[in-house]
Amino acid sequence: MKVAIIGTGYVGLVTGSCLADLGNEVACVDIDAEKVAKLAAGQIPIHEPGLDEVVARGVESGRLRFTTSLAEAIRGAQVAFICVQTPPAEDGSADLSRVEQVAADLASHIADYTVIVNKSTVPVGSSVIVDRIIAQRLAAQIEFDVCSNPEFLREGSAVFDFMHPDRVVIGTTSERAAGVLTELYRPLGAPVIVTDPASAEMIKYASNTFLATKISFINAIAAICDAVGADVKDVALGMGYDARIGFEFLKPGPGFGGSCLPKDSKALIALAAGNGYDFQLLRGVLDVNDEQRRQIVRKVERLAGDLDGKLIALWGIAFKPNTDDTRDAPAREIVELLRARGARMRGYDPVVSETIYEQLGIEHASGAIEAAEGADAVVLLTEWNEFRWLDFHRLAEVMRAPVIIDARNLLDPHVLRQIGFRYEGVGR
Ligand code: NAD
């Protein structure tokens, strides 16, 4: 099938390259000329395991190309995926302006029946908006359908997730469009749920905010565990064996971050409020999440004392391991909270680019031990595997004081305490 991808970011690039890998002819378009130039030169602008190989295979086969021209990308395409960002507006609602802009542009370029697919995370009713924008602007009587097809991939395992989805959700009232998309996704062998667009759009928000709720729930339990002397790791294990609960998303930490869970939670609260429902539960989820950042900083103060003038080493800046994405990462808020207490900071993350440290206003180290040289405390913020296997004896030697706040419960407290560290995890 001929496919156009509009917006070649985390979702668009993975979707486009994976669809090319499945045998489709894919053109990815982006307004960011620098990104397109990099991709055309064989450079992958993001860190995503396995993506470079899939992109290289696609380009080599001639089935995957990159352009800044929507007209060129859409020519002959049977399906056009909208994968642009939908960041929060001032009031927390999703800013649809980029999606609307793409819809308006598409109207002047489609020449034959096209299935237009909203893959961006968009509030309920967005399919209708996109449909209206295109219909109003179409010069000729050209048939088209607008569908919702939310994406559930996770950064850090995006290629695997795209190729092995738990389910594919297609929201449309058109049998013809449902047929085209079912055919496109058939090689994945995943369950396909065909529903109306509003339900498909809601499935995405309900899924993401349920995951956010699970994280805040276990963070709240962890806070109580801290107070009463229980170990949240064992508590989560004991809960997880219950098939109704499951093990996933029961790991306490510095609170959820990234470009999806915080923004989608705010957007659903705004959508609910706009429809007369006060989503108290989800507001609570965000409150717990904010509190979690402050909890981590309080732990640093408890172990390292007054932070004024102290040097704090930050291990991990990305919002999770195996990605370079720092959008809404817990590290961002924690840096601000530590700075407000007068701390200096030096950070290390295996893949995050140097410009991010400049943006955050912190020093950049080339390794975890280097980051900790002369430091009064290490705060482990991202559970990169390499932090498990460090020489902790050496770490204790280079630090000014052997203090670790393990915001991801990655390390072994017994081993560290034996070496002489003052250690605090989350809820253990
Ligand atoms: P992103 O910022 O990485 O990528 C968006 C891309 O769209 C950018 O490269 C931008 O330059 C491009 N763009 C913007 N306007 C354009 C236009 N008019 N024409 C062409 N290109 C344009 O964003 P992302 O993380 O890929 O997220 C995209 C959408 O997918 C969001 O709605 C997000 O909520 C949703 N989503 C993201 C993830 C994730 O893990 N990142 C997972 C599921 C769903």
Side-chain angles (χ1 to χ4, degrees):
M1 227 176 263
K2 274 192 149 190
V3 175
I5 302 284
I6 304 146
T8 310
Y10 286 88
V11 167
L13 183 56
V14 172
T15 302
S17 57
C18 288
L19 287 175
D21 221 31
L22 294 172
N24 301 286
E25 209 178 300
V26 181
C28 295
V29 62
D30 204 288
I31 47 167
D32 183 340
E34 201 183 321
K35 192 179 267 189
V36 171
K38 270 191 176 169
L39 285 162
Q43 294 165 25
I44 309 296
I46 55 174
H47 177 88
E48 191 57 55
L51 183 59
D52 48 353
E53 288 161 40
V54 188
V55 171
R57 244 189 337 261
V59 171
E60 215 170 283
S61 68
R63 287 196 301 271
L64 179 65
R65 62 203 164 79
F66 304 99
T67 174
T68 51
S69 161
L70 179 62
E72 190 195 319
I74 198 76
R75 201 170 297 134
Q78 293 142 284
V79 185
F81 283 94
I82 304 177
C83 304
V84 296
Q85 64 271 52
T86 47
E90 291 245 312
D91 62 353
S93 66
D95 173 0
L96 266 191
S97 58
R98 290 172 187 80
V99 173
E100 289 169 350
Q101 182 60 53
V102 170
D105 294 345
L106 274 171
S108 33
H109 293 301
I110 56 176
D112 214 339
Y113 175 70
T114 312
V115 179
I116 293 160
V117 186
N118 252 338
K119 203 172 240 326
S120 296
T121 303
V122 287
V124 177
S126 301
S127 294
V128 179
I129 295 173
V130 169
D131 189 282
R132 195 185 310 132
I133 291 173
I134 298 175
Q136 280 169 351
R137 286 174 172 73
L138 268 185
Q141 276 285 1
I142 300 159
E143 285 185 287
F144 72 95
D145 280 307
V146 176
C147 304
S148 163
N149 169 225
E151 181 51 58
F152 299 96
L153 63 77
R154 296 161 300 176
E155 287 175 23
S157 54
V159 172
F160 179 89
D161 291 349
F162 187 90
M163 290 299 203
H164 306 89
D166 293 329
R167 76 301 209 187
V168 170
V169 174
I170 298 170
T172 179
T173 48
S174 154
E175 273 186 32
R176 187 178 181 187
V180 171
L181 289 185
T182 305
E183 194 52 39
L184 185 66
Y185 281 115
R186 192 183 304 282
L188 299 180
V192 176
I193 298 164
V194 179
T195 180
D196 59 277
S199 303
E201 289 160 346
M202 188 53 110
I203 286 170
K204 176 65 186 172
Y205 279 103
S207 302
N208 269 8
T209 55
F210 186 73
L211 295 174
T213 305
K214 264 187 118 175
I215 296 173
S216 276
F217 183 84
I218 200 66
N219 278 334
I221 295 293
I224 305 169
C225 285
D226 265 337
V228 299
D231 185 337
V232 74
K233 272 199 155 178
D234 289 347
V235 173
L237 191 69
M239 290 168 69
Y241 274 110
D242 186 326
R244 296 168 301 177
I245 298 173
F247 296 104
E248 296 287 325
F249 279 69
L250 286 185
K251 289 198 180 76
F256 54 79
S259 68
C260 292
L261 298 192
K263 118 177 135 57
D264 295 349
S265 300
K266 287 176 198 148
L268 188 54
I269 290 168
L271 180 82
N275 286 278
Y277 181 73
D278 177 10
F279 206 151
Q280 263 183 325
L281 173 65
L282 203 46
R283 285 196 286 111
V285 164
L286 287 178
D287 287 345
V288 170
N289 206 50
D290 289 342
E291 173 60 16
Q292 212 57 23
R293 275 63 156 148
R294 293 191 288 270
Q295 281 249 13
I296 300 297
V297 172
R298 280 199 293 273
K299 283 173 191 279
V300 183
E301 276 179 315
R302 203 157 46 234
L303 295 197
D306 183 356
L307 297 180
D308 196 18
K310 296 259 168 77
L311 176 63
I312 309 297
L314 304 177
W315 285 359
I317 305 293
F319 85 97
K320 63 193 282 196
N322 300 319
T323 181
D324 59 343
D325 197 350
T326 63
R327 290 178 286 183
D328 258 331
R332 289 188 176 273
E333 269 176 79
I334 287 172
V335 162
E336 289 316 318
L337 292 170
L338 288 170
R339 180 174 292 125
R341 284 157 180 76
R344 296 180 295 125
M345 284 155 278
R346 191 187 295 135
Y348 166 70
D349 186 290
V351 299
V352 159
S353 82
E354 278 199 35
T355 52
I356 300 293
Y357 300 86
E358 282 165 33
Q359 239 180 50
L360 293 173
I362 64 173
E363 282 178 53
H364 174 216
S366 56
I369 302 281
E370 289 80 351
E373 273 172 19
D376 296 278
V378 162
V379 187
L380 191 160
L381 289 174
T382 315
E383 64 274 41
W384 285 99
N385 253 335
E386 67 173 69
F387 298 146
R388 289 175 198 270
W389 318 119
L390 292 168
D391 180 345
F392 288 99
H393 290 278
R394 169 109 189 90
L395 179 68
E397 280 165 24
V398 303
M399 290 183 71
R400 213 169 76 86
V403 170
I404 294 188
I405 290 82
D406 179 4
R408 298 289 182 177
N409 288 348
L410 185 79
L411 309 173
D412 186 333
H414 306 295
V415 171
L416 290 170
R417 284 183 185 132
Q418 263 177 6
I419 296 173
F421 278 97
R422 299 183 70 203
Y423 170 96
E424 209 171 316
V426 182
R428 50 198 311 220

